[in-house]
Amino acid sequence: MGPKNLGAYLLALASLAVSCGVQAAAINRVAYDPNGGFGVALGGLQCETDPPVSPSASGCTIDNLLDLGNVKFGERFEGQTLSRSGNSDMLGGHESVQSPQWLLTGDAGKNLALVDGGADGILLAGVGPDGSNGGTPKTDALGTGALSLFFNNDQSRFDFILHGWDGFDADNNQSTLFLAFFNFEGVLIGDVLALSDLADGKNELGFSREGGRKDIAGVSIWSNDDFGFQISGMRHDVDGDREPGGTVPAPSALLLSGLALLAASRATRRKNV
């Protein structure tokens, strides 16, 4: 490719980057769609006991990763930091995530829990820093732990139902639900979402990638709510497994590759003159 053609190619790349946005586009909060895409079934799940039994309203702990086919659940992704605020897990260090495929469990008794939600069916919760006794989460730990999930394919949408929201933290201030969305390379998509306008009890939540772009590979959910939260009704829009190699590079990555190619071409041209 000659310098003139290469310049035109790079100009086209730059235009593409500007039109698509060099920075990752935002995640938008949208209405929950109970019929959209593919559901993540919790019904029929049993506790890690011998023999297995159905969960009770007090919950039972799951110390391993929970694999539900298209989605796997744990506590956090490798690279994230874990700290405590009141009774709750708090996640940080999102810039250090290499890929959400490296999903981690919490310490024994501080990972996940299944809960009998009565008419709402089986609910999934994180177990907070106070842990559990004999496979049953302590009262202040049920729902106060972080949850993270990894999709087998890249998504543009994720919906779920939030249960048990109290609205206050340990200091009786308004509590916040946090969500961090990652692509397959571990890059945080937009900013961490902080939701403080939630109703007491149950909330139906939907989240959609700007422009319908399919690159959501993992999500972390945590809060400082004193009563914690549980989730159910999870839905996503892409079935099956991702192709080897992960997501297509963002326009910014293509632009950087083009600039490197141009620099190499100019260096070679100087050398040959």
Side-chain angles (χ1 to χ4, degrees), residues 149-186:
L149 54 113
F150 171 64
F151 294 107
N152 282 6
N153 208 337
D154 296 320
Q155 311 293 321
S156 68
R157 176 146 185 159
F158 174 54
D159 294 30
F160 65 94
I161 302 174
L162 183 81
H163 301 264
W165 192 254
D166 175 60
F168 295 94
D169 64 14
D171 298 320
N172 211 34
N173 297 315
Q174 187 177 43
S175 55
T176 303
L177 181 74
F178 301 97
L179 300 99
F181 292 77
F182 297 90
N183 69 16
F184 187 75
E185 286 75 29

Side-chain angles (χ1 to χ4, degrees), residues 86-260:
N87 298 323
S88 303
D89 283 345
M90 301 299 289
L91 297 182
H94 311 301
E95 68 283 353
S96 298
V97 173
Q98 297 300 309
S99 173
Q101 67 181 313
W102 310 120
L103 185 60
L104 303 178
T105 62
D107 293 338
K110 299 180 181 181
N111 187 44
L112 305 173
L114 297 174
V115 183
D116 181 0
D120 291 319
I122 303 299
L123 312 178
L124 180 63
V127 181
D130 286 343
S132 59
N133 283 323
T136 301
K138 294 181 181 179
T139 302
D140 290 339
L142 180 61
T144 58
L147 284 170
S148 293
L149 54 113
F150 171 64
F151 294 107
N152 282 6
N153 208 337
D154 296 320
Q155 311 293 321
S156 68
R157 176 146 185 159
F158 174 54
D159 294 30
F160 65 94
I161 302 174
L162 183 81
H163 301 264
W165 192 254
D166 175 60
F168 295 94
D169 64 14
D171 298 320
N172 211 34
N173 297 315
Q174 187 177 43
S175 55
T176 303
L177 181 74
F178 301 97
L179 300 99
F181 292 77
F182 297 90
N183 69 16
F184 187 75
E185 286 75 29
V187 177
L188 182 67
I189 300 174
D191 299 318
V192 173
L193 301 185
L195 308 183
S196 299
D197 59 345
L198 302 174
D200 293 351
K202 186 187 299 187
N203 291 263
E204 297 182 340
L205 302 173
F207 302 93
S208 179
R209 186 71 160 92
E210 182 72 26
R213 183 172 178 178
K214 292 177 171 58
D215 65 350
I216 299 172
V219 185
S220 290
I221 311 171
W222 70 102
S223 84
N224 60 0
D225 193 87
D226 202 33
F227 278 38
F229 66 92
Q230 304 91 44
I231 63 174
S232 72
M234 292 162 282
R235 307 195 70 84
H236 58 94
D237 65 331
V238 181
D239 197 15
D241 298 330
R242 72 174 40 79
E243 295 180 2
T247 53
V248 176
S252 55
L254 292 173
L255 180 58
L256 289 175
S257 298
L259 292 175

